[in-house]
Amino acid sequence: MGPPDPRQRFEELYTEHYAAISSYVRRRADHSDDIADVIAETFTTAWRRLADVPSGDGARLWLYGVARRTLANHRRGESRRAALTSRLREELADWTDPMTTLVPDTTRAAFMRLSADDRELLSLVGWEGLGNAEIAKVLGCSRIAVRQRLHRARKRLAAELAAGDSEINRYGARAVSLAKETL
């Protein structure tokens, strides 16, 4: 008779010790959301290291040790995520939205009336500072297509600015001429 089937051994281990490990984790977990994750990770480790799991009551003690380390790893991970979230929140609070501080309300309204595709295209040029070749890579199209789309988006923006009684002269003669072409 050969060695026991690993799947059968794991199923027996799981069936015999699930209740004990589940109780152990429930009593020690910080949040109820973490319980299932820690139990799953504990038994995943048992499956991966099935050859290292002792037989008899030693298996339960071994699983307690794995669950203890898994809980500790989970807590460290949560702590790192919380610290990162806090740091990102502080950084984002320091940033100001250039759209709201530098752009007049009428211009922002005209921009928002454009289609999502036009806004994205104009944003790639204005905010990200990309050229036609770079935009073509981002959008997955040719440079000629970008040039045409950009020309049309600029004309539509100029028309929206003109329609919104915006101070179009502020944006230059090119914007005025584009607006007049589309009206």
Side-chain angles (χ1 to χ4, degrees), residues 121-136:
L121 188 57
L122 292 170
S123 296
L124 288 171
V125 171
W127 292 340
E128 313 317 326
L130 300 182
N132 290 358
E134 296 165 316
I135 294 171

Side-chain angles (χ1 to χ4, degrees), residues 57-179:
D57 197 43
R60 181 173 51 91
L61 301 177
W62 187 89
L63 287 168
Y64 282 157
V66 171
R68 180 177 172 274
R69 288 184 292 281
T70 302
L71 275 165
N73 288 340
H74 195 76
R75 285 184 184 120
R76 278 193 297 276
E78 286 297 319
S79 177
R80 285 191 300 270
R81 278 187 287 281
L84 177 61
T85 300
S86 176
R87 202 167 58 242
L88 286 173
R89 192 174 291 122
E90 289 172 11
E91 286 179 21
L92 290 174
D94 291 342
W95 291 0
T96 56
D97 184 4
M99 183 99 173
T100 59
T101 58
L102 301 176
V103 180
D105 289 338
T106 54
T107 306
R108 185 176 26 258
F111 182 77
M112 294 310 292
R113 285 191 299 268
L114 296 174
S115 70
D117 289 340
D118 283 351
R119 287 193 313 264
E120 177 64 13
L121 188 57
L122 292 170
S123 296
L124 288 171
V125 171
W127 292 340
E128 313 317 326
L130 300 182
N132 290 358
E134 296 165 316
I135 294 171
K137 286 182 182 177
V138 171
L139 298 181
C141 62
S142 71
R143 285 187 288 178
I144 293 171
V146 168
R147 212 170 119 204
Q148 290 172 343
R149 291 177 189 176
L150 187 55
H151 176 72
R152 291 178 190 140
R154 286 176 174 151
K155 284 176 69 170
R156 285 189 281 268
L157 177 60
E160 288 295 334
L161 288 168
D165 284 336
S166 170
E167 297 177 31
I168 197 149
N169 293 328
R170 177 179 192 177
Y171 298 99
R174 179 83 175 122
V176 173
S177 66
L178 281 173

